[in-house]
Amino acid sequence: SPDQQIAILEKNLQSITAKGNTPPPGYHAHLGLLYSIVGKENLVVQQFEDEKKLFPESSTYMDFLLSKIKKNDQ
């Protein structure tokens, strides 16, 4: 289920950052998409922004997804 996946990804993210490492490309984006499924839009935005900071090449796609969220809020 999305909640189970979120729990696993969050746990692994804590482990990755505790070791001083960076998660692989797409990690934050995937976590953000899972948050969107369970309705945690504030966390979606945070994850997409984190993905953009770590991997600037993802900015175009993350901005596209963020624009979809903003349209749904209106």
Side-chain angles (χ1 to χ4, degrees), residues 25-67:
Y27 198 97
H28 287 286
H30 185 71
L31 188 53
L33 290 173
L34 290 170
Y35 283 140
S36 73
I37 292 170
V38 297
K40 296 182 178 180
E41 291 190 12
N42 58 329
L43 295 174
V44 174
V45 173
Q46 177 186 343
Q47 293 301 315
F48 288 174
E49 293 294 338
D50 288 346
E51 184 75 20
K52 285 171 46 174
K53 286 178 195 164
L54 291 172
F55 305 101
E57 64 273 17
S58 71
S59 292
T60 302
Y61 187 56
M62 293 298 101
D63 288 340
F64 169 74
L65 294 176
L66 287 166
S67 73

Side-chain angles (χ1 to χ4, degrees), residues 13-21:
L13 184 58
Q14 289 177 354
S15 176
I16 291 167
T17 55
K19 294 177 184 176
N21 296 322

